[in-house]
Amino acid sequence: MASGRVLNGLSVDVEDWYQVGAFEKVIERDTWDKLPDRVSDNVVRILDMFAEADVKATFFTLGWVASRHGPLMRRITDAGHEMASHGWDHARVHGMDRRAFAEDLHRARTTLEDATGERVIGYRAPSFSIDQRTPWAYEVLAEQGYAYSSSVAPVVHDHYGWPKAPRFAFRPLDHNSLVEIPVTTAILGGRRVAAGGGGFFRVLPYAFSRWAIRQVNQHENRPAVFYFHPWEIDPDQPRVSNAPMRSRLRHYTNLHRMASKLEGLVRDFDWCRMDQIAHREAGRAQQVAA
Ligand SMILES: [Zn+2]
């Protein structure tokens, strides 16, 4: 690592091609077990890429996936990566009440911890679904002993977003040290733009992401937080033809370029696990009422 460079948080949201929010209305949950499994091979490719680049990351994994892929979970943690929770089956937090959220969190975490033998202290809400509608969510996370969450996209987006949330790490509770680490946004023309992964990273030229992460590192002196999904490096995944055109466009654009783009990204910046980012950011995270 070059001296003086900022360490950024690298994360993978471990879910299969049929579990994404964009397809939830056309693929029923009770058919998931009948669909071709692609997540294992894709995660192994990601582990190889990370090993090659010598980077460690956090894998926010669905409990549903962990319950079917125990050895893969151990392979992730044996390689030195952090296992963290992405909830049980990708149900959005703002679609649950407090009790259902607590049960979802508990079920996922038990499964992840049983599979790996390691403690889970990080959480990422499916589809960044912690926002102004879920004032109880951080209290539940704190009650269950989570150290951090990375569940907020502080932008305007058609599927998610909490545009008024802070752009960098904050403490949502006054009685607990829980830290929320939003995914990265950059300021472009006075507006916040998503720059932490997802469709934007695949659709826009890599130069945009590189510019945005440099802005955040060099001008704001903060870590960037980046995420992607195993299905994004898989151009051969089955096509969901009855999904809305807009969802299909977003899901399938540039899948064949994603792996080489990611290789550039892991090479051009310094990366670490999200628990390390939470630890480093805890000291300067301001308390902000959620
Ligand atoms: Zn997800």
Side-chain angles (χ1 to χ4, degrees), residues 1-9 147-148 169 179 181 221-224 270-285:
M1 189 183 83
S3 63
R5 286 172 66 175
V6 177
L7 266 178
N8 299 293
Y148 76 91
V179 179
I181 312 163
N221 193 30
R222 300 301 289 246
D270 295 319
W271 300 98
C272 68
R273 298 162 38 143
M274 292 293 294
D275 54 351
Q276 292 172 270
I277 295 290
H279 186 73
R280 296 166 80 101
E281 288 289 286
R284 55 177 173 176

Side-chain angles (χ1 to χ4, degrees), residues 13 15 86 90 126-127 229:
D13 291 358
E15 60 203 39
H86 196 35
H90 220 263
S127 305
H229 306 87

